[in-house]
Amino acid sequence: MVSLFYFKSKVMTQLKIAIQKSGRLNEDSIRLLKECGIEFNNGINKLKAEAFNFPLEVFFLRDDDIPEYVASGVADIGIVGENVLLETNSDVKIIDRLGFGKCRLSIAVPKGKKYAGVKDLEGKRIATTYKNVLQKFLRKEKVNAEIHEISGSVEIAPGIGLADAICDLVSSGSTLFMNGLKEVETVLKSEALLVANKNLDAKQLEIVERLLFRIRSVRKAKHNKYILLNAPNDKLDKIVKLIPGIKSPTILPLADEGWSSVHSVIEEDKFWEIIENLKNAGAQGILVVPIEKMIV
Ligand code: PRP
Ligand code: ZN
């Protein structure tokens, strides 16, 4: 037993991934790994977990720390918000945009205040936890404003007289709304990114590739639906032309003479338009089912 354990810990290359411990990206990051078929325990208060069926060790960290941990090699890869990465300006490689955790970093002012444009921020005090990104934005806009860096609850700063405006993350907008603030400038748009240390070795990169392949298959599947329908044979040509599948659709004869069953894959954003056209063309019994993984 001892020697077996020794073998495992010394020889097997394992990739360390840092994900957010709690907050905006936590649930979606865990879900993504699980959808990739990677099993691990993610109990509360856990600092790290080893995957049972993939050479991956998951570190649960504060989002603000993830870019530096990846840059320094404490973790090999990480899932982090673009907003956090740009603020810390860490030296990591972006390997994929993950499409979740979408939000924006915006400047907001009290609802009652007149705001005609970015020049209205001249000489004002802006509270934020995103000092660097804000500074860059103000410089680009040639606005001189005073940046008040605070560590949290930015949205209350104008109400207590600490600042004239704030620069903070917005996703649903409810935090701004509840604090009587209106969004006036978008500083940046953000989503979750997969980032990597720049000095991974060949073995580590191979695991990254395997993971990336799974991530892309999961994402592809989400954007597509499997569609099944029945079509009268005399309308088959017309119906088949309406379905832009990955390849040509599968057509099977039904027991009912004069009818066929058509199977294909369609993209989600074209979905309703295609369904309407199919119905109008005489398709019946249309079934649309989600796809779990899609390997193309
Ligand atoms: C951000 C931001 C707001 C909230 C905005 O905090 O500071 O409090 O989200 O979201 P809404 O528009 O949906 O109301 P976050 O939860 O990211 O926490 P953190 O900044 O402390 O990491
Ligand atoms: Zn944070």
Side-chain angles (χ1 to χ4, degrees):
M1 271 321 276
V2 172
S3 64
L4 193 70
F5 181 72
Y6 181 78
F7 175 79
K8 189 173 178 244
S9 58
K10 282 289 176 201
V11 177
M12 286 246 297
T13 302
Q14 227 183 12
L15 202 71
K16 289 172 285 190
I17 185 171
I19 65 170
Q20 195 185 21
K21 191 180 170 58
S22 65
R24 185 177 300 277
L25 302 183
N26 166 265
E27 272 181 33
D28 285 336
S29 302
I30 290 173
R31 186 177 312 129
L32 178 68
L33 294 177
K34 301 227 155 159
E35 282 169 346
C36 287
I38 299 169
E39 291 164 22
F40 56 94
N41 286 326
N42 55 295
I44 312 161
N45 291 330
K46 261 194 151 204
L47 215 80
K48 58 178 189 170
E50 210 167 309
F52 309 127
N53 56 354
F54 195 82
L56 196 70
E57 195 172 8
V58 187
F59 284 49
F60 303 95
L61 301 170
R62 279 193 54 215
D63 63 347
D64 315 64
D65 297 333
I66 291 176
E68 265 321 296
Y69 277 128
V70 174
S72 65
V74 173
D76 303 312
I77 59 172
I79 296 177
V80 70
E82 204 167 359
N83 54 308
V84 175
L85 181 62
L86 289 171
E87 178 62 23
T88 57
N89 201 16
S90 303
D91 193 21
V92 296
K93 195 173 157 207
I94 297 172
I95 47 180
D96 208 1
R97 308 181 72 83
L98 297 172
F100 60 80
K102 287 196 175 157
C103 58
R104 53 198 183 274
L105 186 67
S106 293
I107 295 176
V109 300
K111 222 180 270 160
K113 281 263 152 60
K114 274 218 316 243
Y115 186 89
V118 72
K119 292 280 177 274
D120 285 4
L121 295 170
E122 185 72 33
K124 296 286 184 332
R125 297 163 303 162
I126 310 174
T128 190
T129 55
Y130 292 86
K131 184 184 83 186
N132 297 326
V133 177
L134 176 60
Q135 203 158 52
K136 224 170 165 182
F137 173 82
L138 292 173
R139 230 176 258 148
K140 193 187 88 207
E141 298 291 338
K142 299 192 170 54
V143 168
N144 283 304
E146 212 180 291
I147 299 176
H148 277 247
E149 193 185 9
I150 55 178
S151 60
S153 305
V154 174
E155 62 278 1
I156 65 166
I160 58 172
L162 196 71
D164 307 299
I166 67 162
C167 173
D168 200 15
L169 287 189
V170 182
S171 54
S172 66
S174 65
T175 303
L176 292 187
F177 180 78
M178 285 192 305
N179 288 278
L181 300 166
K182 62 177 176 189
E183 203 175 342
V184 292
E185 300 287 340
T186 306
V187 175
L188 69 88
K189 288 197 168 135
S190 174
E191 68 180 279
L193 303 175
L194 186 67
V195 297
N197 178 278
K198 286 187 166 170
N199 305 308
L200 298 185
D201 64 29
K203 278 195 171 146
Q204 291 169 316
L205 286 173
E206 196 188 307
I207 304 172
V208 172
E209 276 311 312
R210 282 176 63 197
L211 180 64
L212 215 47
F213 176 74
R214 293 189 186 195
I215 289 175
R216 287 176 178 157
S217 301
V218 168
R219 188 165 57 218
K220 191 129 203 152
K222 279 200 184 147
H223 288 155
N224 288 275
K225 299 271 182 259
Y226 194 77
I227 179 169
L228 306 95
L229 58 88
N230 296 333
N233 287 345
D234 57 336
K235 295 187 177 141
L236 205 51
D237 275 356
K238 196 175 165 202
I239 286 173
V240 165
K241 281 203 192 87
L242 293 172
I243 310 175
I246 28 173
K247 285 224 173 78
S248 62
T250 308
I251 301 171
L252 302 163
L254 287 184
D256 221 350
E257 212 166 305
W259 284 82
S260 296
S261 163
V262 180
H263 299 203
S264 193
V265 172
I266 58 173
E267 274 175 41
E268 188 153 43
D269 43 345
K270 303 192 186 114
F271 175 79
W272 285 112
E273 202 188 311
I274 293 173
I275 299 294
E276 282 163 16
N277 292 340
L278 287 170
K279 265 182 70 186
N280 294 337
Q284 292 184 12
I286 304 174
L287 279 184
V288 178
V289 287
I291 301 170
E292 201 180 282
K293 309 278 186 312
M294 195 163 148
I295 321 294
V296 287

